[in-house]
Amino acid sequence: KTPILKQQATPLYDEFILIDSMLLMDNNIGVIAYSGTAGAATIDDISQEEAAEDLLTSNLIAWMKTNGAFISDKIEIQRFQPPGVDYKIRGVFAKEDLAKDEMILEVPWSLIVQPSPEDDEYDDCSTMVNIFLDMKDDEGTPYGKYLKAQPRNYIRKFWSIEGQQLLRDMMGPLGPDYTPSDTSNFWRKRCGKRYNDKIFGASAKTTTDDLLLHAAMITLARADDYLMVPFYDMFNHRNGDRWYNAAHVMEEGSSQGLAAKRTVKRGEQLFLSYNQCNICGGRIHWHGTADMLDDYGFVEPFPQRYYDEDLRLKFDIDQIDEENGTKLTVKWGAPPSEAGAVFLREQLQRLEQMEGMKHEANADSLKVPMNESNKVWELHSAFIMALRAALDSLKGWTLTDIVDSIPNWDEYQYTFDEDGNLVSILDQDGSIMSSVTYLDEYTYESESEEHDEF
């Protein structure tokens, strides 16, 4: 599910050194089309690494179509340069208008990599094994070959110990409390001896096979839970009504695909949401920008979400275009409290004090790989910008602890007046409730033994 990121060089294979450029277009899906600040590129402008990647993608598309997949002829894959970076990434774009609910992609169940029948049907360790066996097989599928060539070790669990420690130190109480661990221990801790025996035999010791670890990482980063769906990872992530325009369409046991969530105009990029999609379940309420880096290896573009369970803080930051430039907007997803505001001020001060560390201690002195260091400081910058905007938005607001009295507080939407007073609570079904009535009902219920846990 993760966009293709500039993490590190993708290994090249001898058979990809000399490529007939005519092979790079196939089945009406434009595999090579370029855009970005540097203008249109030509075949001479791409590296051998990019050419190899494009050939793998073309072969994947041809294989999928031959085996019953539908990929709309109205889309194409482009490389483009996102704002603020000096490299290009890939994305899927509409080359013709797409109507609302028009199918973009449909992948038959037979092409989706999933747990084996003898294993638990929801066990992604089994999916990891099947991805590994496909990648290891010289005669494996084009999907296995495509995945094998993807960047290594780009989610936090597979970073160096030094990189994990730097991220933990930077995040402090803003992020999860974890102990950095050696990647080689991941397979043993995550999937255990049974799956190791299945691959290597009962007499084999727990392996640190690099390809197996890559299969595990790529499954964690790109699967829909326990399902690896070919072509899904071509679509980048972005939330918000302006951007999120490709909704999941799933028929369990038959197919999984994507349809246009709204009318999509020619030239628009097609975006999935990795945490606020129509099948994302409960994570739609809490999964935020820090989680995106942890789970998928990138700092998400605007809009971004910031969330703290202990202090019941939740707010979204977006960037909107204006005549004289851009500005940040803040939407609070829960009534902010004084304790929450104090916490944000303390964390902003702590992060600002770390600015010097970013410039004085380079990645070499910390023994942190450059790609990991870059991601840590990119998230650091995002948090500083978000906390400043959030605190600015609270100026003149009346802060209360009312959120502490609301069970399942993060599952609702709230409206406020210009002074920050809570006006209404929007229920999950879209109905508006009086906050006073709601809290009166909750107080009454909490007096019974059945609700003592609250």
Side-chain angles (χ1 to χ4, degrees):
K1 291 196 286 191
T2 307
I4 297 171
L5 304 173
K6 187 88 169 180
Q7 298 287 350
Q8 59 187 53
T10 301
L12 287 174
Y13 302 95
D14 291 341
E15 61 266 36
F16 297 144
I17 297 300
L18 298 176
I19 298 176
D20 182 347
S21 63
M22 294 300 292
L23 292 176
L24 299 176
M25 299 294 292
D26 199 2
N27 290 286
N28 298 317
I29 304 296
V31 176
I32 294 190
Y34 299 91
S35 63
T37 58
T42 68
I43 188 69
D44 296 329
D45 294 321
I46 68 173
S47 67
Q48 290 181 339
E49 175 188 339
E50 291 170 336
E53 182 178 55
D54 291 330
L55 180 59
L56 289 169
T57 302
S58 182
N59 290 341
L60 172 62
I61 291 168
W63 170 75
M64 290 178 65
K65 286 194 163 189
T66 299
N67 287 277
F70 168 77
I71 305 174
S72 174
D73 292 342
K74 296 183 179 181
I75 64 174
E76 64 184 358
I77 300 168
Q78 297 182 10
R79 281 193 177 85
F80 67 100
Q81 186 170 332
V85 301
D86 60 357
Y87 55 83
K88 292 180 179 180
I89 64 174
R90 301 203 307 178
V92 180
F93 290 76
K95 62 181 181 180
E96 297 180 29
D97 290 354
L98 292 163
K100 184 179 183 298
D101 297 326
E102 183 173 349
M103 289 301 297
I104 301 166
L105 172 70
E106 187 171 16
V107 182
W109 211 250
S110 59
L111 296 186
I112 297 174
V113 184
Q114 53 201 286
S116 297
E118 66 271 17
D119 298 324
D120 187 299
E121 62 178 326
Y122 304 117
D123 190 349
D124 61 358
C125 286
S126 183
T127 303
M128 295 172 190
V129 169
N130 291 330
I131 290 292
F132 166 70
L133 294 175
D134 191 10
M135 292 194 300
K136 184 181 179 182
D137 186 355
D138 291 338
E139 302 299 321
T141 71
Y143 187 40
K145 291 179 170 61
Y146 167 83
L147 292 175
K148 185 177 181 179
Q150 297 308 300
R152 284 350 190 219
N153 305 331
Y154 59 78
I155 63 174
R156 190 264 304 168
K157 294 179 180 68
F158 292 81
W159 282 11
S160 65
I161 290 179
E162 294 81 5
Q164 294 179 56
Q165 187 64 53
L166 177 62
L167 178 61
R168 186 177 184 276
D169 292 344
M170 187 279 288
M171 290 296 293
L174 292 168
D177 184 14
Y178 60 85
T179 301
S181 60
D182 192 322
T183 299
S184 63
N185 295 324
F186 174 85
W187 181 256
R188 175 178 57 82
K189 291 181 178 179
R190 181 70 165 72
C191 297
K193 185 176 184 299
R194 183 170 73 87
Y195 282 110
N196 198 67
D197 293 350
K198 182 175 181 178
I199 300 172
F200 300 102
S203 61
K205 296 181 179 179
T206 301
T207 183
T208 57
D209 185 289
D210 287 342
L211 190 59
L212 177 58
L213 292 176
H214 178 56
M217 187 220 67
I218 212 78
T219 302
L220 289 179
R222 303 192 183 191
D224 271 352
D225 293 326
Y226 52 91
L227 301 176
M228 285 288 283
V229 186
F231 203 81
Y232 258 40
D233 62 358
M234 308 287 181
F235 294 83
N236 291 320
H237 158 87
R238 196 162 188 181
N239 286 321
D241 293 337
R242 288 182 296 164
W243 312 107
Y244 169 37
N245 54 16
H248 289 73
V249 179
M250 183 173 183
E251 295 184 24
E252 186 85 25
S254 176
S255 66
Q256 186 161 338
L258 299 169
K261 191 169 176 279
R262 56 167 173 78
T263 299
V264 179
K265 295 296 184 182
R266 176 184 176 184
E268 278 192 73
Q269 186 172 177
L270 290 158
F271 288 105
L272 299 177
S273 172
Y274 298 172
N275 59 354
Q276 297 182 34
C277 67
N278 57 306
I279 62 169
C280 283
R283 71 203 317 248
I284 192 172
H285 302 299
W286 58 265
H287 197 274
T289 297
D291 301 298
M292 294 299 295
L293 177 62
D294 204 55
D295 293 342
Y296 303 119
F298 64 93
V299 178
E300 66 178 335
F302 293 113
Q304 298 172 339
R305 171 161 294 173
Y306 296 86
Y307 180 97
D308 186 277
E309 168 67 29
D310 293 336
L311 288 164
R312 298 198 166 194
L313 284 168
K314 178 180 176 182
F315 60 92
D316 293 347
I317 302 286
D318 203 359
Q319 186 178 63
I320 61 173
D321 295 326
E322 294 189 323
E323 186 175 345
N324 298 321
T326 61
K327 78 169 186 178
L328 294 180
T329 63
V330 180
K331 180 180 179 182
W332 286 92
S337 65
E338 181 60 42
V342 169
F343 174 77
L344 294 181
R345 283 193 290 269
E346 291 174 345
Q347 293 310 306
L348 177 59
Q349 183 179 24
R350 181 183 66 84
L351 292 175
E352 288 175 337
Q353 291 172 346
M354 293 185 71
E355 287 273 16
M357 179 181 176
K358 177 168 61 175
H359 301 294
E360 295 169 9
N362 58 36
D364 290 338
S365 67
L366 294 173
K367 298 182 180 179
V368 178
M370 186 62 71
N371 64 306
E372 297 172 10
S373 176
N374 288 344
K375 287 301 171 188
V376 171
W377 296 117
E378 186 180 351
L379 185 62
H380 172 266
S381 297
F383 261 93
I384 285 182
M385 184 181 298
L387 297 190
R388 286 173 179 167
L391 288 168
D392 284 345
S393 76
L394 295 181
K395 291 178 180 177
W397 273 38
T398 302
L399 303 179
T400 73
D401 295 327
I402 193 171
V403 69
D404 294 335
S405 302
I406 305 176
N408 303 321
W409 64 276
D410 57 354
E411 297 181 7
Y412 301 95
Q413 298 182 50
Y414 305 84
T415 60
F416 308 91
D417 64 20
E418 60 183 10
D419 296 321
N421 296 306
L422 178 63
V423 175
S424 62
I425 302 175
L426 186 65
D427 202 350
Q428 295 181 59
D429 63 5
S431 61
I432 297 179
M433 305 177 297
S434 162
S435 60
V436 176
T437 301
Y438 178 78
L439 292 176
D440 285 346
E441 290 176 353
Y442 165 63
T443 302
Y444 172 77
E445 290 177 349
S446 65
E447 292 174 355
S448 69
E449 293 183 3
E450 184 179 355
H451 294 82
D452 281 348
E453 68 270 19
F454 292 124

